Amino acid sequence: MQIKRRNFFKLAAVGAGSVVISPRPTRAERKKAGDSFACLVDTSRCIGCRKCEQACNEINNLPEPARRFDDLTVFDSARRPDARRFTVVNRYHSGRIDDAGLLVADYVKIQCMHCLDPSCASACVTGALSKHDNGAVHYDVSKCIGCRYCMMACPFEIPAYEYHNPLTPRVMKCNFCEEQFTRQHKAPACATICPTEAITFGKRTTLLQLAKKRLAKYPARYEQHIYGEHEAGGTAWLYLARVPFKKLGFLTLPSNPLPRLSELIQHSLFSYLWSPALLFALLGGIMYRNRAKNDSGEGHKQSGGVS
Amino acid sequence: MRQIHLQILMLMVLTCTYTTWVYAATTGEQWVAPAQEKALRRAQAVVPMVKEVKQEGAIRRSQRLHALGVSVRDVKDSYFVLNSPFIKAVEDHYGAVRFNHGQHAAESGDCTICHHLRAKTATPAKNGDKPLETQRCSACHQQAFNPDYPERLGLKAAFHQRCIPCHEQRHKGPQTCRGCHLNNVPDHKKLVKLPDNADALQVTAECLRCHETAANDLQHSAHWLWRGPSTHTQDHENSVRHGKGTTALNNY
């Protein structure tokens, strides 16, 4: 059977149309059941003891810090997680005052937010970063080629790189103590050590309910917002705070998953390689047509030349 | 001559301390105060978890207990050691916290500040006339992150969330971590390495092997640098600058 050019274009158009019309569900939608693990950080409970930093350092065998963990003067300057520490606590003065008129500090722990639809995993060219069903954004060092696209992609600027290690550098970020809860049924080290349970560990749906209950029960204590419920398409780490999140260094992020647009473009253009196939089919068609024209044209010219 | 006397005295003190320590270490006998022993036993006890609590507001509860005649005078045990297996099972970073229940009751004057809720069905008292309105913290607060009771705090967080704000607001009691917690002291039986008939200097040297920072700190403290009038020291009655920092013999 011969496929005519017109028929081929029709088939190609139908194929492309079906791809564009039915975009694949995002990871967030697929996992909407919310059975993954999560952590709820209630910053109003945090007393800034830095025990979480210490526990994280110990469980991940990270290098000893320049200043001891009981040195609270580190709060004098803002810090970021880096290749030597997966989590840091920062102090903020939002203007809140106590009965005596003194400024009251708010402490905020930052680490990988373990997004439901992580940009880092979307940007990763080798699949070294992947979102596990248990909630963790997992890093597989054996697949990593060190391109550091994840560092560019992450809206929270979390992944760090071992620049000091030229031979076997790794991307360093919080691993959610995944082995703790998959193998030993324990909470992450930071949540376990926290003296005031500022970090609550559990299933994401349960924690969201819990957070909403707290907001309803103590409306004066909390800013009526759960950071991470919708931010960047939802994150596994959720936050409650006494003051607007902007004052505590939290970014204002859109509620749709950040990789969705780029994935939509990429996936709709390149799924099943339909667009290159179409392009080459078009070019081939043009070449075929031109050759057929040229063949007849050249024959005409040649005959003309001879005569 | 006087310095030699002092040195002999110091030697005797050290030898006595060491002998007592060796005796305790070898025989395993250690004198424990009866109240302490009772508190330690109580701390190990695990009571069945209270599943449902009676929901009532703080003021309502306080008023109801007042009407029932339950007050801080009903406190039976005045001394506890906070050393619950619920916490020790998860982490073991600090020594047990001593908690003076009687003093806290007397200072606050209101049971409901700490005993904020009770089980839905009150526990009948064993021999008294009143049913128990209060329960120990670990009756409700046990393991953290129990998926069946997500809003229930674990025991450790329940302690900290109750203790810290109250101490801060009232400016009473310890207000730093170290005020309540002491570090776990590791078993020194395995750490200390001494010959059989060690002399005092060997013992000191062995202590200094690990505790060098403590020794340096001591040398900058009043224990090492004290000086002053010594009206009761023979031949130094009129001296105003007698002491470890000046004329006396320095030793650990």
Side-chain angles (χ1 to χ4, degrees):
Chain A
M1 195 193 129
Q2 204 181 352
I3 299 178
K4 285 186 179 165
R5 202 172 122 253
R6 189 176 297 255
N7 290 347
F8 174 79
F9 282 135
K10 272 185 194 164
L11 275 173
V14 168
S18 64
V19 169
V20 173
I21 290 162
S22 61
R24 288 188 305 164
T26 61
R27 194 176 285 106
E29 281 161 357
R30 272 179 271 142
K31 283 276 120 204
K32 212 160 195 175
D35 53 354
S36 60
F37 284 108
C39 280
L40 173 68
V41 184
D42 190 336
T43 58
S44 73
R45 288 181 178 180
C46 182
I47 53 168
C49 67
R50 297 187 69 210
K51 284 282 161 208
C52 48
E53 292 184 34
Q54 188 174 6
C56 178
N57 177 286
E58 281 166 14
I59 201 165
N60 292 303
N61 298 316
L62 297 174
E64 208 166 290
R67 286 157 85 177
R68 289 162 55 102
F69 285 109
D70 51 7
D71 181 359
L72 299 185
T73 56
V74 294
F75 289 133
D76 290 346
S77 55
R79 296 174 301 147
R80 294 286 312 166
D82 57 28
R84 292 165 193 273
R85 53 194 184 197
F86 293 162
T87 184
V88 291
V89 179
N90 277 323
R91 184 180 61 196
Y92 292 89
H93 290 290
S94 60
R96 204 158 57 82
I97 53 169
D98 64 3
D99 298 340
L102 297 170
L103 274 177
V104 182
D106 285 286
Y107 298 96
V108 181
K109 173 189 187 297
I110 38 177
Q111 72 297 308
C112 173
M113 299 286 281
H114 296 276
C115 308
L116 301 190
D117 208 342
S119 302
C120 56
S122 175
C124 184
V125 289
T126 56
L129 282 157
S130 56
K131 177 79 176 172
H132 280 183
D133 288 348
N134 58 29
V137 174
H138 177 76
Y139 171 68
D140 182 354
V141 69
S142 64
K143 288 184 186 167
C144 181
I145 55 167
C147 69
R148 284 160 274 152
Y149 279 8
C150 49
M151 295 167 68
M152 293 291 132
C154 177
F156 303 101
E157 298 178 32
I158 290 299
Y161 199 62
E162 286 187 319
Y163 289 107
H164 59 275
N165 178 3
L167 293 178
T168 54
R170 292 169 294 172
V171 167
M172 302 294 274
K173 71 163 200 72
C174 158
N175 49 33
F176 213 156
C177 290
E178 202 180 349
E179 290 200 351
Q180 284 277 103
F181 57 79
T182 49
R183 296 210 182 142
Q184 302 181 38
H185 303 286
K186 276 186 188 169
C190 52
T192 310
I193 198 92
C194 182
T196 57
E197 231 168 270
I199 310 166
T200 311
F201 174 74
K203 292 285 163 87
R204 192 168 184 269
T205 37
T206 321
L207 292 185
L208 276 174
Q209 282 171 3
L210 175 65
K212 280 169 190 165
K213 261 187 207 169
R214 275 190 214 165
L215 293 186
K217 197 173 177 188
Y218 307 105
R221 182 185 171 112
Y222 293 108
E223 177 72 12
Q224 293 292 314
H225 181 67
I226 305 167
Y227 192 91
E229 186 184 9
H230 300 300
E231 271 75 10
T235 56
W237 278 66
L238 307 161
Y239 282 80
L240 292 179
R242 283 184 194 267
V243 291
F245 284 94
K246 244 184 186 174
K247 291 186 177 177
L248 301 179
F250 286 88
L251 296 169
T252 310
L253 289 172
S255 59
N256 56 322
L258 297 179
R260 187 174 277 181
L261 178 66
S262 54
E263 274 185 12
L264 180 74
I265 295 169
Q266 295 277 334
H267 291 176
S268 50
L269 272 180
F270 294 109
S271 57
Y272 309 111
L273 288 178
W274 74 265
S275 53
L278 181 69
L279 177 72
F280 287 119
L282 262 171
L283 290 173
I286 293 166
M287 279 169 69
Y288 178 79
R289 205 180 142 190
N290 287 353
R291 208 183 73 185
K293 259 190 193 169
N294 283 353
D295 276 355
S296 56
E298 269 175 41
H300 183 70
K301 257 185 189 173
Q302 271 175 2
S303 65
V306 166
S307 64
Chain B
M1 192 64 193
R2 197 173 43 256
Q3 291 212 337
I4 291 166
H5 280 155
L6 267 171
Q7 203 160 18
I8 290 167
L9 186 75
M10 194 61 79
L11 268 174
M12 281 167 67
V13 168
L14 274 171
T15 318
C16 284
T17 321
Y18 181 62
T19 323
T20 325
W21 179 75
V22 167
Y23 173 78
T26 46
T27 56
E29 276 177 38
Q30 223 175 350
W31 183 82
V32 186
Q36 177 77 358
E37 209 166 349
K38 190 185 168 196
L40 283 171
R41 248 185 288 115
R42 189 190 155 89
Q44 291 308 310
V46 173
V47 294
M49 187 174 176
V50 169
K51 295 206 165 71
E52 279 183 286
V53 290
K54 180 183 166 75
Q55 295 294 343
E56 61 182 339
I59 299 167
R60 174 72 57 86
R61 176 164 166 78
S62 182
Q63 286 170 341
R64 196 167 57 76
L65 259 64
H66 184 74
L68 283 171
V70 179
S71 76
V72 291
R73 279 189 291 278
D74 297 317
V75 166
K76 288 188 186 72
D77 300 297
S78 64
Y79 173 69
F80 296 144
V81 171
L82 308 183
N83 194 27
S84 171
F86 288 116
I87 298 173
K88 290 283 164 187
V90 184
E91 61 159 303
D92 192 7
H93 289 87
Y94 296 103
V97 170
R98 299 182 301 155
F99 177 72
N100 202 330
H101 185 221
Q103 191 188 353
H104 279 80
E107 289 272 346
S108 65
D110 185 357
C111 308
T112 63
I113 291 174
C114 294
H115 297 276
H116 56 119
L117 290 170
R118 72 149 164 83
K120 202 167 191 179
T121 46
T123 323
K126 278 170 196 159
N127 41 15
D129 46 358
K130 296 175 201 161
L132 280 177
E133 274 292 335
T134 57
Q135 277 153 314
R136 57 162 71 195
C137 306
S138 64
C140 294
H141 301 281
Q142 301 194 342
Q143 265 139 355
F145 318 130
N146 185 342
D148 300 328
Y149 304 94
E151 61 264 53
R152 194 88 59 92
L153 289 174
L155 185 60
K156 180 173 65 166
F159 283 148
H160 284 114
Q161 285 203 22
R162 195 55 54 172
C163 299
I164 295 171
C166 208
H167 280 221
E168 280 180 351
Q169 277 162 22
R170 293 170 182 239
H171 297 291
K172 268 184 184 172
Q175 278 153 56
T176 57
C177 305
R178 294 265 165 229
C180 298
H181 297 282
L182 291 176
N183 268 348
N184 266 344
V185 180
D187 189 359
H188 275 60
K189 276 178 212 165
K190 289 167 195 161
L191 295 172
V192 177
K193 292 183 186 84
L194 276 174
D196 284 342
N197 293 312
D199 62 25
L201 290 177
Q202 277 174 310
V203 175
T204 310
E206 178 63 10
C207 296
L208 286 176
R209 190 165 60 85
C210 298
H211 296 286
E212 207 185 322
T213 324
N216 288 336
D217 287 349
L218 179 86
Q219 289 182 351
H220 293 95
S221 72
H223 298 290
W224 193 261
L225 298 172
W226 66 267
R227 59 177 77 176
S230 47
T231 44
H232 298 293
T233 313
Q234 206 179 358
D235 298 340
H236 279 271
E237 290 87 350
N238 297 320
S239 167
V240 288
R241 287 176 58 77
H242 185 52
K244 263 199 169 180
T246 50
T247 50
L249 178 82
N250 263 329
N251 202 328
Y252 284 106

